[in-house]
């Protein structure tokens, strides 16, 4: 355990020293994966779906705020949808506009949440979202989480029904047909409900003043998601894989344990409770100390041939000095012993000490 904590402290030091480079590298990888997912699933415009466009968008978005990446991803989706069908592009644009109204109202500085939630659904691990957002965020993070889930299911629906949607006659019929099918998507609304309730449950438990609150919140969030998704799957007669539901929840719980180790490592055995008061209030304070481990410093000593010869010479001289000192000490002890015996036997011949 101590080695893990030491590793955590070293990673913190590395991040503090190179935070700007780490953030930009993570932003580039996020953009690369987002644009690749879009182009590989709904790449109806061949030029926009090329590898050069994917890399170019990822590189450009790296040097701008993450909200630019969200807008670029939205524009890329709409371009592909327009290539497939104009009604699909119009309905999708309206849905994106409504989502962004809620997004800018509640979490304008958390654009990466939408991308992460959409990618989690694309990787078939949607139930890491409640644990991740509930532990690190606030209840309003439900909004970007829901927007990300809806965005993924829009792409998923268009990918699975591209041929049927393209053959729809008339602009009005196309608009009504696509809007009706998106709104009536039972699986999408079930996942939105499970993720939203999971985020609220995890955040509620995590913010309580109980021991091991983060662990309890992680397990509770995973259990709630399994119950809601399983019940909805049976009642609505959907075809969501139960293996995906359980595996996604287990991964979410494991992620919660890792997040606790990184962001909330405390020692509950040394918990202190303090009570005091002033003129108006009584205060009950529970203080839980953090687990802090000092990072050991490594000293590297460079040994060359000359350095080794000098060290050997110094060791030899030191041994000679010790030998000489021991010889002097031995002679001094013999002399003192001889003088002591002489005085005791009356053999001291010092004329100055003789009696007259």
């Amino acid at each position: 355990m101590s080695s893990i904590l030491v590793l955590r402290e070293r990673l913190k030091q590395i991040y503090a020293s190179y935070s700007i480079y780490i953030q930009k590298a993570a932003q580039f990888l996020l953009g690369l994966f987002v644009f690749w997912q879009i182009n590989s699933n709904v790449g109806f415009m061949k030029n926009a779906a090329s590898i050069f466009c994917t890399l170019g968008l990822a590189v450009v978005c790296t040097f701008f705020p993450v909200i630019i990446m969200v807008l670029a991803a939205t524009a890329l989706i709409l371009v592909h949808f327009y290539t497939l069908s104009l009604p699909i592009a119009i309905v999708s644009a309206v849905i994106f506009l409504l989502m962004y109204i809620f997004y800018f109202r509640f979490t304008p500085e958390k654009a990466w949440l939408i991308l992460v939630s959409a990618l989690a659904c694309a990787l078939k691990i949607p139930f890491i979202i409640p644990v991740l957002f509930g532990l690190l965020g606030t209840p309003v993070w439900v909004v970007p989480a829901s927007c990300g889930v809806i965005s993924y299911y829009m792409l998923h629906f268009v990918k699975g029904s591209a041929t049927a949607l393209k053959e729809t006659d008339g602009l009005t019929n196309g608009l009504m047909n696509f809007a009706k099918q998106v709104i009536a998507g039972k699986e999408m609304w079930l996942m939105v409900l499970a993720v939203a309730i999971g985020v609220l449950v995890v955040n509620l438990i995590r913010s309580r003043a109980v021991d091991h609150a983060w662990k309890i919140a992680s397990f509770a969030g995973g259990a709630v998601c399994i119950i809601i998704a399983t019940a909805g799957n049976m009642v609505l007669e959907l075809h969501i894989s139960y293996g995906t539901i359980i595996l996604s929840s287990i991964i979410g719980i494991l992620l919660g344990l890792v997040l606790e180790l990184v962001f909330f490592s405390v020692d509950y055995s040394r918990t202190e409770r303090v009570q005091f008061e002033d003129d108006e209030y009584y205060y009950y304070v529970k203080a839980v100390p953090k687990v802090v481990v000092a990072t050991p410093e490594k000293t590297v000593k460079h040994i060359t041939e000359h350095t080794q010869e000098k060290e050997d010479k110094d060791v030899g001289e030191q041994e000679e000095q010790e030998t000489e000192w021991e010889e002097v000490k031995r002679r001094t002890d013999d002399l003192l012993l001889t003088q002591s015996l002489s005085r005791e036997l009356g053999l001291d011949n010092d004329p100055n000490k003789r009696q007259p």
Side-chain angles (χ1 to χ4, degrees), residues 128-270:
I128 70 169
I129 303 172
V131 178
L132 177 64
F133 289 14
L135 291 179
L136 300 182
T138 61
V140 297
W141 282 25
V142 168
V143 175
S146 302
C147 292
V149 174
I150 293 172
S151 300
Y152 163 76
Y153 274 97
M154 284 179 57
L155 268 68
H156 179 71
F157 175 75
V158 173
K159 177 185 177 182
S161 309
T163 304
L165 293 172
K166 189 174 183 179
E167 293 176 355
T168 303
D169 296 332
L171 178 61
T172 305
N173 291 334
L175 289 172
M176 296 300 296
N177 186 24
F178 181 66
K180 191 179 298 183
Q181 293 187 25
V182 171
I183 295 174
K186 297 180 181 179
E187 182 177 341
M188 179 185 72
W189 294 117
L190 175 63
M191 298 306 293
V192 170
L193 179 64
V195 168
I197 294 178
V199 171
L200 296 177
V201 169
V202 173
N203 186 263
L204 177 64
I205 298 176
R206 189 267 299 172
S207 58
R208 299 302 94 188
V210 296
D211 291 352
H212 307 286
W214 283 50
K215 290 186 179 69
I216 298 172
S218 300
F219 282 97
V224 166
C225 290
I226 291 176
I227 293 172
I228 295 176
T230 302
N233 200 23
M234 292 188 295
V235 172
L236 300 177
E237 298 181 353
L238 302 175
H239 301 286
I240 305 174
S241 171
Y242 292 105
T244 301
I245 295 173
I246 296 174
L247 180 62
S248 176
S249 300
I250 292 175
I251 295 175
I253 293 172
L254 295 177
L255 176 62
L257 299 178
V258 173
L259 291 175
E260 180 185 11
L261 179 64
V262 175
F263 296 101
F264 195 74
S265 183
V266 296
D267 185 2
Y268 288 105
S269 63
R270 297 190 293 126

Side-chain angles (χ1 to χ4, degrees), residues 112-126:
W112 61 274
L113 300 176
I114 298 177
L115 302 176
V116 169
S117 58
L119 288 178
C121 293
L123 295 175
K124 306 301 181 183
I125 48 174

Side-chain angles (χ1 to χ4, degrees), residues 20-193:
I20 183 63
Y21 304 105
I22 295 174
Q23 290 175 2
K24 291 304 177 183
Q27 190 171 339
F28 170 74
L29 293 176
L30 178 63
L32 185 64
F33 198 71
V34 166
F35 296 127
W36 174 72
Q37 281 289 323
I38 294 173
N39 290 331
S40 61
N41 285 280
V42 290
F44 301 113
M45 180 178 283
K46 300 302 180 182
N47 293 330
S50 65
I51 185 63
F52 299 103
C53 181
T54 302
L55 286 173
L57 287 173
V59 171
V60 171
C61 292
T62 301
F63 301 97
F64 291 94
V66 184
I67 184 59
I68 302 299
M69 186 183 298
V70 175
L71 297 177
T74 304
L76 183 61
I77 292 172
L78 293 178
V79 166
H80 288 305
F81 283 1
Y82 176 77
T83 303
L84 177 66
S85 173
L86 178 60
I88 295 176
I90 294 174
V91 174
S92 301
V94 173
I95 294 175
F96 280 127
L97 180 61
L98 293 175
M99 288 193 301
Y100 289 153
I101 290 174
F102 283 99
Y103 161 73
F104 285 113
R105 173 65 179 82
F106 293 101
T107 54
E109 298 179 355
K110 303 295 182 181
W112 61 274
L113 300 176
I114 298 177
L115 302 176
V116 169
S117 58
L119 288 178
C121 293
L123 295 175
K124 306 301 181 183
I125 48 174
F127 295 144
I128 70 169
I129 303 172
V131 178
L132 177 64
F133 289 14
L135 291 179
L136 300 182
T138 61
V140 297
W141 282 25
V142 168
V143 175
S146 302
C147 292
V149 174
I150 293 172
S151 300
Y152 163 76
Y153 274 97
M154 284 179 57
L155 268 68
H156 179 71
F157 175 75
V158 173
K159 177 185 177 182
S161 309
T163 304
L165 293 172
K166 189 174 183 179
E167 293 176 355
T168 303
D169 296 332
L171 178 61
T172 305
N173 291 334
L175 289 172
M176 296 300 296
N177 186 24
F178 181 66
K180 191 179 298 183
Q181 293 187 25
V182 171
I183 295 174
K186 297 180 181 179
E187 182 177 341
M188 179 185 72
W189 294 117
L190 175 63
M191 298 306 293
V192 170
L193 179 64

